[in-house]
Amino acid sequence: MRAGRFITFEGPEGGGKTTQAKRLLTRLRDAGRDVLYTREPGGTPTGEAIREILQHDKAGEPLCDQTEVFLFAASRAQLVRRVILPALERGTVVVCDRFADSTTAYQGYGRGFSVEQMLAINAFAIDGAEPDVTLLLDLPIRMGFERVEGRQRQLFEDVDRIEREAREFHERVRNGYLELATRWPTRFRTIDATRTPDEVEQTVWEIVQGVLA
Ligand code: Z5A
C-alpha cells in the first residue's frame, strides 16, 4: 500500500534540480509533512559507491556504455527497495533528485541506446515505483552549463564524466526529456527553469500542492 507521494526532479545540467528539491523540502516540512530527500545515482551505501564509479571512473578503467546503463539501474533498484518504497508505505513524501527518466534521457536519447530498451530496464529496476509527478526543469544547454561552471568554481568541484560529453549529447538529452514529457503528459510537468529561483520555486509549489491535495 502506498500512502505517501513520490516526486522526482529531472532535466538537463544546471536546471536547478538540487536547489529546488531542497526548497521544496523546506516548504513541505513547514506544511507539516513527513519528507525524505534522496538522489540518483546514490541514496544508499551501494548507490553512493556506484556513483563514485560512474562519475569519477573510480574503478580505474573506462566504463563501457552498456555497463553505465546497468550501474545506473543497479543504484536505482537498491534505492527503490531500501529507501523509496518503505518511505512511501510509511506515508512520507519522497523527493528524488533524478530518477528513471534520467536513464531514458541520457543513455537512451543521449548515448543512442533504444529508448524502449531503457524503459524495459527501468521497469525491472523500479518494479512499479512510478513517480506521482515529475518536475522537468527545462532550460537551454548553454545556460545550464554556465550555472554549473559557476557552482564548480565556487565549491571547487570536479567536472564529472558525463558533464564532459559534447554539447550535442546534452542537446539530445534535453530534447529527449521534452519528448518524454509529451509521451506522459499527466505525470510530467515542464517548468521554465530560466527564471529566478524564487519564481521556479513558486511554480513547483503550486504543482506539488495540486498533487498532494
Ligand atoms: N545520469 C545519467 O546519465 N543517467 C541516470 O540514470 C542518472 C543520472 C540517474 C548526475 O550528476 C549525472 O548522472 C548527470 C546525469 C547522469 N550528469 N550530467 N551531466 P549529479 O547528480 O552530480 O548532478 P546533476 O543531477 O546533473 O545536477 P546538476 O545538473 O549539476 O545541477 P542541478 O541540480 O540541476 O542544479 P543546482 O545544483 O541546483 O544549481 C546549479 C547552479 O545554478 C548553482 O550554483 C545554483 O545556485 C544555480 N542556480 C540554481 N537555480 C538557478 C536559477 N533559477 N537561476 C540562476 N542560478 C540558479
Side-chain angles (χ1 to χ4, degrees):
M1 219 334 239
R2 189 160 141 174
R5 287 285 182 278
F6 185 23
I7 299 168
T8 57
F9 279 89
E10 291 282 359
E13 284 289 280
K17 295 175 291 300
T18 306
T19 304
Q20 293 301 330
K22 296 280 167 71
R23 286 178 176 226
L24 175 60
L25 231 69
T26 304
R27 290 238 192 189
L28 287 166
R29 273 203 195 102
D30 291 349
R33 293 276 178 169
D34 180 27
V35 289
L36 177 96
Y37 167 84
T38 190
R39 67 169 182 181
E40 277 211 8
T44 64
T46 304
E48 291 297 325
I50 292 174
R51 182 182 177 93
E52 285 298 302
I53 298 174
L54 277 165
Q55 297 209 309
H56 305 294
D57 283 328
K58 273 289 155 66
E61 61 171 346
L63 276 186
C64 304
D65 291 347
Q66 288 80 354
T67 310
E68 179 184 271
V69 171
F70 287 111
L71 286 177
F72 279 118
S75 170
R76 179 165 309 130
Q78 190 77 1
L79 181 66
V80 163
R81 284 159 189 81
R82 294 278 183 205
V83 177
I84 295 176
L85 287 176
L88 291 175
E89 278 162 25
R90 288 195 305 272
T92 300
V93 180
V94 177
V95 177
C96 194
D97 201 339
R98 293 196 181 279
F99 192 59
D101 298 304
S102 285
T103 296
T104 319
Y106 280 82
Q107 282 63 51
Y109 291 97
R111 294 262 183 253
F113 286 123
S114 148
V115 165
E116 299 311 312
Q117 221 168 25
M118 296 305 104
L119 292 173
I121 290 170
N122 282 337
F124 178 67
I126 74 172
D127 199 15
E130 288 287 344
D132 292 293
V133 67
T134 295
L135 304 164
L136 172 55
L137 300 186
D138 179 60
L139 81 177
I141 296 303
R142 180 189 292 275
M143 182 185 261
F145 267 81
E146 282 166 5
R147 287 186 189 172
V148 170
E149 281 159 18
R151 187 193 66 207
Q152 285 165 343
R153 272 196 303 276
Q154 214 179 1
L155 303 178
F156 303 103
E157 291 174 350
D158 291 336
V159 178
D160 74 43
R161 207 172 50 81
I162 294 177
E163 281 164 1
R164 285 196 290 268
E165 289 293 334
R167 167 90 176 265
E168 299 72 54
F169 171 92
H170 291 281
E171 293 287 358
R172 288 196 299 277
V173 169
R174 181 188 184 198
N175 292 331
Y177 270 124
L178 294 172
E179 265 190 60
L180 293 179
T182 312
R183 186 161 167 177
W184 286 286
T186 312
R187 174 167 65 88
F188 269 89
R189 305 294 168 84
T190 305
I191 297 172
D192 173 6
T194 64
R195 296 170 300 153
T196 67
D198 288 350
E199 287 168 334
V200 176
E201 179 184 342
Q202 188 53 35
T203 305
V204 165
W205 185 233
E206 283 162 15
I207 294 170
V208 169
Q209 280 178 303
V211 171
L212 296 179

